[in-house]
Amino acid sequence: MDLGLSGKRAIVLGIANHRSIAWAIAQALAAEGMQLCLTYQERMEDAVRQLAAKVDAPLVLPCDVQRDEEIDAVFQTIEREWGTLDVLVHSLAFAPREALAGDFLNTSREAFQTALDISAYSLVAVSRPAAPLMERAGAGSILTMTYLGSERAMPGYNVMGVAKAALEACVRYLAASLGPRNIRVNAISPGPMQTLAARGIQGFQGMHRHASEVSALRRVNDPDEIGALAAFLASHHARGTTGEVHYMDCGYRFLGI
Ligand code: NAD
């Protein structure tokens, strides 16, 4: 199926290394012929530049989502270089390590604020400057990554579950805000995947094993299938869906026992 993305432009935030979900999505969008802007957090620059070369990304820019000046600079560069933007992929999250272990009751105010700022508010912060560029393109698709820990209490996931619940609410409010401008906002919810961020969650290996044993498909996600869903949601074929969380978890969420 031709997704009609060829020649269109996307920004992908959240690549740390070759295991990142953002990288799988960037590859899927590049395979559809999209031009990419990839952003990185300072310490990830070398890895991201090496990966960017593999997909011929013309723009590779720093963007720490806690720094408003870096967000502004990214979208000013896109406006100057491209003038329009079709797709934004937000695939990033962070909580202090100590908040992703032990008893949720002990979550500090500081860890709570950091997790919510980076993992949820940042979607609003990057959608705002992206919107006029998408409006100019005639349509836009904004995607973010969430997890079932938003609606179920998962051991160790703790404050990140709260952040994902806020992120999913942001998806709905942004979709309501941007829908009249023909900009869609959706989240993808995969099962556990072996990435850098996931390794910071206490008990993650157990969650991963459990999901692979009991999910209906008896496996966990491979990154390519997340890339494929992202490319579909980015495309005109998904033009009627917005404000939704799209589960692609190999059949885990719907199970009872
Ligand atoms: P990852 O470690 O590869 O990516 C996380 C990214 O967040 C990194 O690139 C990091 O640089 C970025 N980041 C953290 N703080 C940032 C900041 N202040 N500014 C800019 N970027 C920042 O891990 P991943 O698993 O690919 O995570 C991507 C997304 O997928 C996250 O939202 C995560 O919660 C979500 N997710 C992951 C899983 C999983 O099991 N791996 C499951 C469901 C959802």
Side-chain angles (χ1 to χ4, degrees), residues 64-68 71 90 92-96 108-126 128 144 159-160 162-164 166-167 170:
D64 184 317
V65 295
Q66 286 196 298
R67 297 185 189 153
D68 287 335
I71 295 176
H90 171 280
L92 58 93
F94 177 81
S108 70
R109 189 187 299 274
E110 196 187 348
F112 192 99
Q113 286 174 343
T114 301
L116 273 280
D117 182 27
I118 297 179
S119 315
Y121 176 71
S122 64
L123 182 67
V124 183
V126 297
R128 194 164 42 242
T144 189
V159 72
M160 191 51 75
V162 180
K164 291 302 191 193
L167 178 71
C170 289

Side-chain angles (χ1 to χ4, degrees), residues 213-236:
E213 286 168 1
V214 311
S215 64
L217 297 177
R218 300 291 193 273
R219 65 176 179 87
V220 289
N221 294 110
D222 77 64
D224 290 357
E225 64 198 10
I226 305 300
L229 177 58
F232 168 73
L233 289 172
S235 81
H236 186 63

Side-chain angles (χ1 to χ4, degrees), residues 173-198:
Y173 278 92
L174 285 170
S177 165
L178 294 172
R181 297 159 78 179
N182 201 23
I183 298 169
R184 299 180 292 108
V185 189
N186 288 285
I188 296 174
S189 188
M193 296 170 68
Q194 299 279 8
T195 63
L196 193 63

Side-chain angles (χ1 to χ4, degrees), residues 14-16 20-22 41 44 63-66 91-94 118 145-147 157 164 190-193 195-198 204:
I15 299 177
S20 294
I21 295 172
Q41 248 187 317
M44 315 293 186
C63 187
D64 184 317
V65 295
Q66 286 196 298
S91 180
L92 58 93
F94 177 81
I118 297 179
M145 301 301 306
T146 188
Y147 179 61
Y157 204 63
K164 291 302 191 193
M193 296 170 68
T195 63
L196 193 63
F204 174 79

